[in-house]
Amino acid sequence: FVVSPNILIAQSGGWGTLPVLPAPPDITAPVVSITLPLPNAIVLNTVPFSATASDTVGVTGVQFKISMSTVIFDDTAAPYSTTLNTASLPNGPLTLYAVARDAAGNKATSTRIVTVSNTYGAPTATPPAGTYTSAQSVRLVATGASYINYTLNGTAPSCSVGTVYVTPISIATTQTIKAIACYPTGSSAVATFA
């Protein structure tokens, strides 16, 4: 007996139909690639974070992550993209992840190493350091800083050592002010005003 193309088979007593077998399961993972930021990019502030993804059946979403456990966005429609806000991230190397998935639960991951380099502005002083014939009231400013710590004894301040700047500093004799601006994710260099 021969199976015909229309799935009819000859069997004793007449023709019958061959049961239709289910389609084989989808075991092929999607293909995903991070497109932005570029490899080894230096990133600061807010930057685009995007990926391309494809699958033999269809991509159901791409998760954008800053660690394998920290999802920053789950995009369920192409083009797959979001933004990465680096303000709360520490400076230094960072591995980004884009994880594509399909309806069968297959996943694929693309990684990209970038360097976070948010600059932290040092405090400025008004009036500027110099020689004056009368007492001065010195105002310290560091835009965006959570607070400023300073010292008057020549030692270097840190975000945990020094006096927290609240009001202008009265300087009546020769003194050196050293100040540091403290931000949520880091600190500036120490500024010296002599």
Side-chain angles (χ1 to χ4, degrees), residues 137-158:
S137 184
V138 179
R139 182 172 170 251
L140 299 177
V141 175
T143 303
S146 300
Y147 59 96
I148 298 171
N149 273 359
Y150 71 93
T151 61
L152 298 175
N153 62 5
T155 62
S158 69

Side-chain angles (χ1 to χ4, degrees), residues 108-166:
T109 302
S110 174
T111 60
R112 173 75 39 96
I113 296 174
V114 297
T115 301
V116 176
S117 182
N118 289 310
T119 55
Y120 300 108
T124 58
T126 305
T131 302
Y132 296 91
T133 58
S134 61
Q136 297 295 307
S137 184
V138 179
R139 182 172 170 251
L140 299 177
V141 175
T143 303
S146 300
Y147 59 96
I148 298 171
N149 273 359
Y150 71 93
T151 61
L152 298 175
N153 62 5
T155 62
S158 69
C159 289
S160 59
V161 175
T163 302
V164 176
Y165 174 80
V166 179

Side-chain angles (χ1 to χ4, degrees), residues 14-187:
W15 286 95
T17 58
L18 181 66
V20 177
L21 299 174
D26 177 8
I27 58 170
T28 304
V31 175
V32 61
S33 178
I34 295 174
T35 54
L36 288 174
L38 297 174
N40 303 310
I42 295 175
V43 296
L44 66 148
N45 303 321
T46 301
V47 296
F49 187 2
S50 60
T52 58
S54 61
D55 185 67
T56 56
V57 176
V59 174
T60 58
V62 174
Q63 288 184 331
F64 293 94
K65 301 180 174 189
I66 56 172
S67 72
M68 279 309 289
S69 61
T70 306
V71 177
I72 61 169
F73 189 67
D74 189 356
D75 198 344
T76 57
Y80 304 104
S81 65
T82 187
T83 56
L84 172 65
N85 184 348
T86 67
S88 63
L89 301 174
N91 283 339
L94 174 67
T95 302
L96 302 175
Y97 303 85
V99 182
R101 65 189 181 283
D102 64 18
N106 300 309
K107 294 180 181 179
T109 302
S110 174
T111 60
R112 173 75 39 96
I113 296 174
V114 297
T115 301
V116 176
S117 182
N118 289 310
T119 55
Y120 300 108
T124 58
T126 305
T131 302
Y132 296 91
T133 58
S134 61
Q136 297 295 307
S137 184
V138 179
R139 182 172 170 251
L140 299 177
V141 175
T143 303
S146 300
Y147 59 96
I148 298 171
N149 273 359
Y150 71 93
T151 61
L152 298 175
N153 62 5
T155 62
S158 69
C159 289
S160 59
V161 175
T163 302
V164 176
Y165 174 80
V166 179
T167 60
I169 306 163
S170 180
I171 303 292
T173 61
T174 301
Q175 283 190 301
T176 298
I177 300 172
K178 291 190 176 190
I180 188 168
C182 303
Y183 297 83
T185 60
S187 60

